[in-house]
Structures are given as structure tokens and as C-alpha cells.
Amino acid sequence: MLKIYIGSRDESIYDPSTYFDNTFEKEWLFDEDVKRMIKDIDNSEVGDDGSIHCPIFGTIPPRDLSGGVKTLILLKFDKTEIFDISACGGNCASWIEELGNREDIEVDLGYLMPFKVKYPILLLNPDKIVKSYDDYLFEYIERDA
Amino acid sequence: MRGNQFLKIWNKMISFNIEIKNKLTIIVGDSAKGKTRLINMISTYLEYGKSSGIHVCASTDFEVWTNKDWRKGIRNDDIYNLKNTLIFIDANQKFVFSEEFASYVNSSTNYFILINRKPLKELSYSFKDIYTMDIIKGEHKLLPVYNNNEIFDFSISPIKSVITEDRKSEELNETSLFQDE
């Protein structure tokens, strides 16, 4: 389940992009989900050798991926930290929901990300499971006030 | 500094044409739209100038600030000598949430362009200052996220009054939505 803390906690990684640049593992790029994330969000292709091809800049290093994609990759592969997903734009929301549906993922969130609430989400402060967008919106505003 | 400002920055592959209308400009929006790349290009140009291969045309001076720059600027008082400058700040720079920064913004003649999705509760800005970035005819530009008509359908709203901001006085006023109520 996707578990969301509304706000920022000191112990969380508030800059996933920089964290990614310093913890990246090349094998991650061979994962099918990662290839689809990079195509979907960054409009770039991962080649069979793990190289990333961007239509504007040609072959780019992983550090040039968007902050959103870097955060999605960390959510999938790094279970040691809690990440602030505010680095992700609204176009990452469905991916985050999907990852949270597959396994427990806990994150911090600093803005009203447009989740469709396709699967139940646990808001953590205080605990409340939301099952619709209206619930999510109401509970988010309560916590953010 | 008053009035509209602009910064155009480009290289052989990518071009940004940024119009800035107010003291505060907040850039939000989807991932991979070029927000951080804009900041990186400006930083690279500031460091290497013409040797970077980057070209810039701007209505006034410009800078990029990080947490480190802010701390150094506060320590040396440098920031208080800075006037009429466009200051670009990428996401995840924690100082933008501080009261100290808000106070500085209020008293400054500089314009601030912040990439930030989180609420900036210490700063006073309007929904009209919130933009997203997209590519229009091959150039990255800022587009307003909201316009007056999209914000709220007042005709079906149960809300009877709203808090409004008077930009000149910087005071908040409670205003009735409907004259006859």
C-alpha cells in the first residue's frame, strides 16, 4: 500500500535527485518498469546496453534524467530510505500509485499530487485510509491546514 | 525593479524564453518539462560565460541561488547590496521556506523565480504568479496554471466571502463575493 506523510520529516530524503546521482546502480536501467518510466515521463529510450537516448540531447547520463523519474526509480529499488515525492510532477502520480499497489511504499508529500486513488492510500498523520479522490482531497487539506 | 522582465537563454539544442511579470514567479508542473535544465543552463552560463556555448539575452542581471549561496549571502551581507536582479532558485532549496527569506523578498527590489511545488507559506503571492513550463513553437515558455475563470465557479459555491490581497498595501481583506449579500 502507498503510505503518505503529508509534509516533510527531517529523516526523509528531501532531494531524491541528488540522492539518486550518488547511489545509482547501472542494473536498474535494465528493469522493464524503469524503461517504461523513462519513456513515459522523460520521453527517452533505454537501449539494450543501458544507454539512455533523449530525442533532444542524444545519449544522456542517468544524472540528466528528470527529478521525477529519478524518484520513481528510487521508490522501486531503494527500500532503505523514505523519499519526499514532491520532486515528482503530477505526471508521475499514476506510477507512484502503481508501485504502492504492488508493495508497501512510504513517502513524504508536500503538495496536492493528483492521485486518481485507483487503490486505497494510507495517509499517515493521523492514520486514515482514503479510497476516493474526494476523500484524499479532504484529508489532504485537513492535514495541510 | 518594476514592470515585466525577460530572460532568453539558448544553445544549439534547447531554448528558453522566460517572461517575468511580478516580483515572485512560482514554477510548478509535470516532471521532465525543463525546469531544472533551465537552472542548470543559467548556472553554467554564469560560471563559463560565452565559453559555455550558451547564449543569453536578458532585461537585467540574473543569478542562481542555492542554500549555500543564501547562507554565504546572509553571512557577508552581499544579498542586501543586490538590486534589480532576476534570482532563479531550483527546487529543494530549504531557505525559501524561511521567515528570513520572506522578509528579504519583501524588502528587495529583485525578482525571484522559484521552482517549487510545495506551499510557500511565508511568502505573499497570488495564484496569477504560478506557472508551468511547456514547449511552444520550439521554445520553453512559462504558462499560467490558473486564470480567473478556471479558479472557481462562484455561482455554485457555498462560500460567501473570501480573503483577498491588496498588492500595494500587502494587507489581507475579507470581501463579500456578492454585492447583495
Side-chain angles (χ1 to χ4, degrees):
Chain A
M1 178 180 275
L2 179 58
K3 301 173 183 178
I4 300 176
Y5 179 91
I6 305 297
S8 298
R9 291 172 286 189
D10 289 342
E11 65 271 25
S12 302
I13 303 296
Y14 77 91
D15 186 0
S17 180
T18 301
Y19 184 90
F20 177 94
D21 293 345
N22 292 292
T23 60
F24 168 74
E25 295 178 21
K26 174 108 182 174
E27 306 89 78
W28 294 349
L29 291 174
F30 296 100
D31 179 84
E32 287 305 315
D33 276 342
V34 169
K35 289 181 180 177
R36 289 199 295 128
M37 289 168 185
I38 291 173
K39 176 66 181 165
D40 182 27
I41 306 297
D42 285 10
N43 192 29
S44 295
E45 303 269 1
V46 181
D48 292 339
D49 59 351
S51 57
I52 305 166
H53 302 280
C54 167
I56 298 174
F57 300 104
T59 303
I60 59 169
R63 67 179 304 122
D64 280 1
L65 291 169
S66 68
V69 157
K70 288 178 181 177
T71 308
L72 292 177
I73 295 172
L74 288 170
L75 290 179
K76 167 138 192 181
F77 288 106
D78 189 329
K79 308 299 180 196
T80 63
E81 299 288 353
I82 292 171
F83 297 98
D84 188 330
I85 58 169
S86 307
C88 296
N91 53 342
C92 299
S94 59
W95 272 106
I96 294 167
E97 286 197 78
E98 185 61 39
L99 293 171
N101 183 48
R102 293 185 205 164
E103 57 187 328
D104 284 350
I105 292 177
E106 185 173 330
V107 296
D108 286 1
L109 177 60
Y111 81 103
L112 185 61
M113 185 175 277
F115 290 118
K116 290 183 176 149
V117 196
K118 199 171 164 187
Y119 314 106
I121 295 172
L122 173 60
L123 300 182
L124 290 172
N125 43 326
D127 287 4
K128 173 83 189 264
I129 291 177
V130 293
K131 295 180 178 175
S132 70
Y133 179 77
D134 285 353
D135 278 354
Y136 164 64
L137 182 62
F138 179 80
E139 295 293 337
Y140 181 94
I141 292 168
E142 286 278 297
R143 284 160 178 76
D144 190 47
Chain B
M1 187 159 60
R2 287 186 180 276
N4 292 1
Q5 304 295 326
F6 71 88
L7 178 136
K8 294 181 183 181
I9 184 165
W10 69 97
N11 62 18
K12 278 203 167 183
M13 292 156 285
I14 192 166
S15 169
F16 295 86
N17 186 350
I18 307 299
E19 287 183 58
I20 302 137
K21 296 179 178 172
N22 287 316
K23 181 185 262 193
L24 272 170
T25 298
I26 316 294
I27 308 177
V28 299
D30 282 349
S31 294
K33 292 295 184 185
K35 301 183 292 293
T36 297
R37 193 167 292 278
L38 167 67
I39 300 288
N40 290 343
M41 270 181 81
I42 298 171
S43 295
T44 303
Y45 180 82
L46 288 168
E47 186 169 359
Y48 298 103
K50 187 182 164 188
S51 298
S52 63
I54 295 168
H55 304 275
V56 176
C57 178
S59 57
T60 186
D61 292 340
F62 52 93
E63 290 198 353
V64 172
W65 280 8
T66 62
N67 285 319
K68 189 177 159 189
D69 299 321
W70 171 254
R71 284 194 300 271
K72 189 178 168 191
I74 287 284
R75 201 166 51 238
N76 301 342
D77 276 353
D78 292 346
I79 57 170
Y80 297 104
N81 300 323
L82 194 66
K83 298 188 191 318
N84 303 330
T85 300
L86 305 175
I87 297 170
F88 291 81
I89 304 169
D90 201 0
N92 298 321
Q93 305 302 316
K94 284 189 168 180
F95 72 90
V96 300
F97 302 104
S98 67
E99 285 182 30
E100 197 171 23
F101 177 67
S103 169
Y104 175 74
V105 169
N106 281 339
S107 62
S108 169
T109 61
N110 302 315
Y111 277 18
F112 300 85
I113 302 93
L114 284 75
I115 295 173
N116 184 65
R117 297 189 182 95
K118 296 179 181 179
L120 294 154
K121 294 178 179 176
E122 302 296 335
L123 294 172
S124 174
Y125 59 98
S126 155
F127 69 86
K128 291 176 184 172
D129 300 326
I130 304 174
Y131 293 83
T132 187
M133 185 178 281
D134 216 337
I135 302 173
I136 310 289
K137 294 181 181 174
E139 275 188 328
H140 286 72
K141 292 189 173 185
L142 297 186
L143 305 171
V145 171
Y146 308 106
N147 66 48
N148 287 333
N149 297 332
E150 285 175 351
I151 282 292
F152 219 82
D153 182 352
F154 291 117
S155 64
I156 60 168
S157 167
I159 297 171
K160 300 302 178 197
S161 64
V162 292
I163 305 296
T164 60
E165 173 199 353
D166 181 330
R167 278 193 164 275
K168 287 181 182 170
S169 70
E170 296 189 348
E171 285 180 358
L172 297 175
N173 305 302
E174 188 172 349
T175 309
S176 170
L177 284 179
F178 304 105
Q179 291 291 334
D180 56 351
E181 294 182 6

